[in-house]
């Protein structure tokens, strides 16, 4: 994939009713690379890849033109991605339609995501225990937030976090002067996206999310959460209804979070 392919890739995502803007494609591509399938000079398939250091990577935005499905184009795109990424452990989020392909390529289920979205309602703030507070992020937080994300996701993603910080409203969960969690809000797709959200527990995650939902009341908001985090019913009380349930899948060594730090919401389904 080259930068000149991004408009065609964006057009493909519109064909399959994905909400990405051209700007979302440009940001995703700037963090990694990609592979396209062409037919007679026309882009008919895409896969993006993000190597996060020598040991892990993420795969996403796997799309095949609906007119060309059933011709093993998706399989060949994924084979090319696997070859490019070598022996790294790989993470992706699979649609119901794509899960069978990924299983044949050695991916196994590692979790479930719930996509919630809608017009955000005013959110009551979540009370925090003594010593805990929410505050805006500063330049001095960059290293700590990258470390928190790496512990929660199980792989280092400095490029992703620094790139998101440049375009997001970021709130930090602080305990006695130490960053213990964070959440980001930015433009994405049809409106605003909350994620990633990292916190030590569900109450911390709720405090972070409620703050950002409160800033977004009356606007279209999306958040993709780890189903095991226990936030799905609570999110629906904020006007964010469940609309999809992709499967998290891993190929290779499972990703392990550091105890005491958890990823409650992903950045996007593509980036993880």
């Amino acid at each position: 994939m080259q930068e000149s392919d991004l408009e065609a890739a964006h057009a493909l995502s519109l064909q399959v009713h994905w909400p990405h803007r051209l700007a979302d494609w440009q940001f995703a591509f700037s963090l990694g690379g990609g592979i396209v399938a062409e037919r007679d000079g026309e882009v008919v398939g895409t896969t993006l890849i993000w190597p996060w250091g020598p040991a892990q990577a993420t795969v996403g935005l796997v799309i095949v033109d609906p007119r060309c499905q059933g011709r093993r184009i998706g399989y060949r795109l994924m084979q090319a991605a696997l070859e490019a990424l070598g022996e790294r452990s790989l993470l992706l989020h699979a649609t119901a339609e794509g899960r069978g392909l990924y299983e044949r390529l050695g991916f196994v289920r590692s979790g479930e995501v719930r996509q919630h979205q809608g017009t955000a309602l005013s959110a009551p703030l979540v009370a925090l225990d003594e010593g805990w507070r929410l505050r805006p992020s500063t330049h001095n937080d960059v290293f700590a937030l990258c470390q928190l994300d790496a512990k929660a996701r199980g792989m280092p993603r400095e490029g992703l976090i620094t790139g998101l910080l440049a375009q997001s409203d970021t709130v930090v969960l602080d305990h006695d002067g130490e960053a213990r969690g964070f959440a980001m809000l930015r433009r994405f797709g049809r409106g605003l996206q909350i994620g990633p959200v990292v916190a030590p527990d569900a109450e911390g995650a709720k405090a972070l999310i409620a703050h950002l939902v409160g800033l977004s009341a009356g606007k279209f908001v999306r958040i993709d959460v780890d189903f095991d985090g226990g936030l799905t019913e609570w999110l629906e009380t904020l006007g964010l209804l469940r609309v999809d349930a992709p499967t998290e899948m891993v190929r290779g060594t499972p990703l392990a979070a550091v105890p005491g730090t958890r990823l409650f919401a992903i950045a996007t389904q593509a980036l993880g």
Side-chain angles (χ1 to χ4, degrees):
M1 180 178 285
Q2 300 174 6
E3 190 171 355
S4 57
D5 294 315
L6 293 178
E7 289 192 4
H10 176 235
L12 275 185
S13 62
L14 293 177
Q15 285 189 50
V16 296
H17 308 294
W18 289 6
H20 301 70
R21 304 169 299 150
L22 178 59
D24 301 323
W25 274 94
Q26 291 167 334
F27 174 68
F29 181 67
S30 73
L31 297 172
I35 301 158
V36 298
E38 288 187 344
R39 183 183 67 177
D40 298 330
E42 178 186 6
V43 174
V44 296
T46 63
T47 298
L48 263 62
I49 56 176
W50 298 278
W52 307 118
Q56 294 102 6
T58 307
V59 180
L61 291 169
V62 182
I63 306 175
V64 175
D65 188 321
R67 299 169 298 172
C68 300
Q69 290 178 3
R71 302 182 184 181
R72 293 175 60 82
I73 293 173
Y75 177 82
R76 281 180 260 178
L77 283 166
M78 283 299 300
Q79 285 280 50
L82 297 182
E83 181 177 341
L85 293 169
E87 297 302 313
R88 291 177 174 88
S89 294
L90 306 181
L91 168 74
L92 60 76
H93 290 92
T95 62
E97 296 79 10
R99 181 170 173 174
L101 166 63
Y102 303 131
E103 288 175 340
R104 290 192 293 275
L105 291 168
F107 286 85
V108 297
R109 177 192 175 278
S110 56
E112 296 288 336
V113 167
R114 295 294 183 268
Q115 178 182 333
H116 288 257
Q117 62 189 41
T119 302
L121 304 175
S122 296
L125 297 181
V126 176
L128 294 170
D129 292 336
E130 185 176 354
W132 294 83
R133 67 185 178 106
L134 299 182
R135 60 170 176 81
S137 69
T138 71
H139 180 72
N140 293 331
D141 292 312
V142 174
F143 178 76
L145 300 193
C146 289
Q147 291 296 106
L148 283 169
D149 176 74
K151 291 176 181 178
R153 180 71 281 182
M155 54 184 170
R157 306 189 298 177
E158 291 90 347
L160 172 62
I161 300 305
T162 55
L164 289 174
L165 281 168
Q167 57 181 281
S168 303
D169 290 324
T170 303
V171 60
V172 174
L173 178 64
D174 184 292
H175 182 244
D176 292 337
E178 178 187 2
R180 295 289 304 280
F182 69 94
M184 295 180 169
L185 173 73
R186 70 190 187 283
R187 285 278 290 116
F188 177 83
R190 294 171 55 190
L192 300 172
Q193 174 102 26
I194 295 174
V197 177
V198 174
D201 53 37
E203 287 306 302
K206 286 182 178 181
L208 289 162
I209 294 167
H211 175 80
L212 295 180
V213 169
L215 295 179
S216 312
K219 299 177 181 178
F220 183 86
V221 174
R222 170 176 170 173
I223 183 170
D224 296 78
V225 296
D226 175 9
F227 177 65
D228 291 336
L231 302 182
T232 55
E233 292 185 4
W234 175 75
L235 286 169
E236 294 195 342
T237 70
L238 306 181
L240 306 180
L241 305 182
R242 193 191 83 174
V243 297
D244 199 8
T247 302
E248 181 183 283
M249 306 187 79
V250 172
R251 184 179 189 266
T253 304
L255 303 176
V258 175
T261 307
R262 182 167 188 163
L263 186 68
F264 283 88
I266 59 179
T268 66
Q269 289 181 24
L271 290 162

